[in-house]
């Protein structure tokens, strides 16, 4: 037995056999063909380039890409249609009697090295285009990935270097046990989707030469461990754990179409936090009441150019349409300046957490902000979009940002009302919540940042991580103040940070008057089940517990005690 | 058949964008179209061929056009070069 340790990025347990999807290590078969096969091999080339060109066209139509990206695809299409390449490949087939794959290898190897050796870098870089085309052709001809997908079943654990997002849906369809990746982290596109669909994923596993096809594996995506060819004892242990997990899943599934109500019938708005349109399917399946936090950083990360208004518009429209009449709260760009440094090098900051991030970034670069606002307003015609500004620290900032929204609305002749809210995640904002509430249509508390800024602790700093304590009375007081300010000004109050899905705090948040809890897609059902065990009336009648407690330990005791009294022990739903 | 020498005048030479404009244009005509530079002759209807020439600014190339619409093709190609591919 061998144990490989990586990082758990989507929790769960998988038990099954390894299926390795290798990439780039394209193995080309060399085969001598008969005279009679020449025409057939040449015909395969024609159908391959036609299929790939069509594919590129569809891709171009579907996603309105940045001009630069478009030009790359156009260039690829021209290469596919190149008469000289066709002639060269056809000659290798007809004269040397090579099979198509091998003919392509010889032809493209020669072409790629010709470009690579050019003195002018400008031309040498073109080698990449030919490498891409070559790989596309071979992948198409070998139809490799789709063949392997056919082999997968509910006992498979899939291993690959990097997973394209489109693959996740295929894996779910095949009901595979889990996914092991070399690359990727919690925030990569495919991993976010996998988490939403409860597919266990562990990344950072170098499995080459350690795992081979058909090996028995246990994937522990709670701890981030892969066991290769485990012994009976370990297998039994994990089978047991897996059985429990399955039971839990089935149990949760049974409440997926129910509304979210407390044991005594009080309706709570249960919303989802999402990052991309593909997550809407799971949101709708689990009957969420809307999107409480639509993070919009995704299109700004890992690319060389800023997204265009149209690109953003299509992205927001896709979510807006799928949410139908349900509200979708779009949070405007919330990247730290450090992440935008690619475009704005002077934003390299010594202390990015206290730097040009959130709404400050948007107000510093109004052209980027306005592009986003225009896209949101245009997409708002297709559903119920609302706008929320992150990291607001003062009334002035909120006003300035709102003015930009009004300016864009006037330019677009946008007539409908658009609701604009404030994200409360800086103590200064919580302390003036009564004033912000007069100008905002709603509040949403970002508990992660609010706690970090209240106790001045970076929770990734291991030495002091213990001080990042959600039971700190100061932090809870700020939440209470915010909720009360919202209530007295009659505006909606939501919580969209991690606290919203934390069963120790849900009761307290509702007691404060929070009306909406917005949680990650994989926490929706658990949160609904927990809410259904709360007696809301008992909660409201319970005495205030924030007064007279100064330390976090005592606070925890008081909250735990309250929870035992307001939660109804009842049969499982 | 027509042969005509011409100097590449746009600043970056026949890089990706001008090459693709030239190839797109040539493919609208029936005549064969070859380009010679030094001792290399390539098919002017092939994007790969034109890129392989690596014709930089101020380099001399020879257009070799042969076919029923050779005069028209030459005229259009000359125009494209004269306009420096719109750069």
């Amino acid at each position: 037995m061998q144990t490989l340790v990586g990082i758990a990025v989507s929790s769960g347990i998988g038990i099954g056999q390894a299926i390795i999807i290798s990439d780039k290590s394209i193995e080309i078969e060399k085969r001598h063909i008969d005279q009679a096969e020449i025409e057939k091999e040449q015909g395969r080339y024609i159908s391959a380039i036609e299929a790939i060109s069509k594919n590129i066209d569809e891709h171009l139509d579907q996603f309105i890409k940045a001009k630069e990206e478009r030009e790359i695809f156009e260039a690829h299409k021209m290469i596919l249609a190149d008469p000289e390449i066709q002639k060269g490949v056809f000659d290798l087939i007809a004269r040397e009697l090579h099979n198509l794959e091998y003919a392509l290898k010889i032809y493209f190897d020669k072409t790629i090295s010709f470009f690579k050796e050019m003195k002018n870098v400008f031309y040498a870089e073109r080698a990449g285009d030919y490498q891409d085309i070559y790989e596309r052709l071979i992948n198409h001809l070998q139809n490799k990935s789709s063949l392997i997908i056919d082999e997968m079943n509910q006992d498979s654990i899939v291993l690959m270097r990097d997973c394209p997002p489109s693959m996740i849906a295929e894996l779910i369809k095949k009901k595979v046990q889990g996914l092991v990746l070399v690359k990727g982290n919690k925030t990569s596109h495919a991993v976010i989707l996998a988490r939403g669909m409860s597919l266990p994923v562990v990344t950072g596993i170098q499995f080459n030469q350690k795992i081979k096809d058909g090996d028995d594996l246990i994937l522990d995506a709670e701890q981030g461990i892969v066991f290769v060819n485990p012994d009976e004892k370990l297998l039994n242990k994990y089978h047991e754990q897996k059985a429990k997990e399955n039971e839990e899943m089935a149990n949760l599934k049974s409440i997926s179409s129910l509304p979210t109500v407390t044991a005594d019938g009080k309706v709570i708005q249960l919303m989802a936090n999402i990052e991309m349109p593909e997550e809407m399917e799971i949101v709708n399946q689990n009957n969420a009441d809307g999107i409480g936090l639509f993070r919009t950083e995704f299109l700004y990360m890992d690319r060389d150019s800023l997204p265009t208004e149209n690109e953003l518009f299509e992205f927001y429209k896709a979510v807006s349409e799928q949410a139908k009449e349900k509200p979708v709260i779009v949070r405007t760009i919330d990247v730290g300046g450090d992440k935008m440094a690619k475009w704005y090098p002077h934003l390299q900051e010594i202390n990015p957490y206290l730097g040009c991030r959130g709404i400050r970034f948007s107000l510093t670069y109004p052209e980027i902000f306005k592009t986003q606002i225009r896209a949101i307003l245009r997409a708002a015609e297709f559903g119920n979009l609302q706008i929320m500004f992150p990291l607001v620290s003062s009334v002035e900032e909120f006003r300035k940002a709102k003015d930009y929204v009004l300016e864009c609305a006037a330019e677009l002749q946008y007539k409908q009302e658009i609701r604009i809210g404030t994200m409360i995640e800086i103590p200064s904002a919580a302390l003036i919540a009564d004033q912000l509430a007069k100008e905002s249509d709603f509040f949403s508390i970002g508990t992660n940042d609010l706690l970090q800024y209240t106790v001045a602790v970076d929770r990734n700093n291991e030495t002091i991580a213990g001080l990042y304590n959600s039971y700190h009375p100061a932090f809870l007081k700020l939440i209470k103040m915010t909720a009360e300010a919202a209530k007295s000004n009659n505006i909606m109050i939501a919580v969209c940070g991690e606290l919203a899905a934390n069963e120790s705090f849900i009761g307290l948040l509702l007691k404060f008057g929070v009306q909406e809890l917005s949680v990650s897609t994989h926490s929706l059902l658990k949160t609904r089940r927990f809410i259904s065990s709360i007696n809301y009336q008992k909660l409201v009648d319970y005495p205030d517990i924030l007064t007279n407690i100064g330390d976090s330990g005592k606070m925890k005791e008081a909250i735990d005690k309250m929870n035992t009294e307001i939660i109804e022990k009842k049969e499982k739903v | 058949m027509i042969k005509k020498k011409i100097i590449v005048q746009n600043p970056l030479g026949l890089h990706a964008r001008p090459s693709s404009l030239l190839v797109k244009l040539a493919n609208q005509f029936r005549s064969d179209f070859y380009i010679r530079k030094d001792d290399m002759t390539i098919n002017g209807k092939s994007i790969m061929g034109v890129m392989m020439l690596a014709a930089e600014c101020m380099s001399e190339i020879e257009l070799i056009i042969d076919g029923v619409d050779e005069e028209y093709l030459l005229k259009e190609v000359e125009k494209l070069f004269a306009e420096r591919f719109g750069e």
Side-chain angles (χ1 to χ4, degrees), chain A residues 125-138:
Chain A
E125 275 177 0
R126 304 329 303 177
D129 289 338
Y130 293 87
Q131 183 72 38
D132 274 0
I133 293 292
Y134 172 62
E135 281 170 18
R136 266 176 184 255
L137 280 164
I138 294 294

Side-chain angles (χ1 to χ4, degrees), chain A residues 408-421:
Chain A
C408 291
E411 283 166 17
L412 289 168
Q413 301 190 325
Y414 182 87
K415 294 278 190 291
Q416 281 160 276
E417 187 214 10
I418 184 114
R419 287 164 55 80
I420 303 173

Side-chain angles (χ1 to χ4, degrees), chain A residues 454-506:
Chain A
T454 302
V455 296
V457 171
D458 172 3
R459 64 170 158 170
N460 299 316
N461 183 333
E462 283 174 22
T463 323
I464 53 166
L467 297 176
Y468 184 92
N469 185 337
S470 303
Y471 290 100
H472 198 298
F475 166 64
L476 297 174
K477 269 185 190 168
L478 289 172
I479 296 178
K480 187 169 179 240
M481 280 180 71
T482 307
E484 280 167 355
K487 198 177 172 192
S488 56
N489 285 279
N490 221 359
I491 64 168
M492 199 278 293
I493 167 86
V495 172
C496 64
E498 278 173 25
L499 219 60
N502 186 331
E503 296 187 356
S504 303
F505 291 93
I506 290 175

Side-chain angles (χ1 to χ4, degrees), chain A residues 71 74-75 78-79 81-85 107 110-111 114-115 118 120 122-123 126 130, chain B residues 12-16 20 23-24 40 43 45-49 51-56:
Chain A
E71 281 175 358
E74 298 284 356
M78 283 187 83
I79 294 171
D82 195 311
E84 280 301 303
I85 299 179
Y107 192 84
K110 193 185 73 191
T111 307
F114 182 94
F115 276 103
M118 281 183 163
N120 184 324
F122 233 72
Y123 293 101
R126 304 329 303 177
Y130 293 87
Chain B
L12 290 172
L14 285 185
H15 64 90
S20 77
V23 171
K24 270 184 200 157
M40 188 176 184
N43 182 349
K45 294 185 176 183
S46 156
I47 182 75
M48 178 187 72
M51 291 296 292
M52 279 178 163
L53 281 184
E56 294 176 25

Side-chain angles (χ1 to χ4, degrees), chain A residues 348-364:
Chain A
Q348 302 273 11
E349 297 173 319
I350 293 171
N351 194 345
Y353 281 121
L354 301 183
C356 185
R357 52 178 298 214
I359 197 65
R360 304 164 183 183
F361 178 84
S362 293
L363 294 176
T364 312

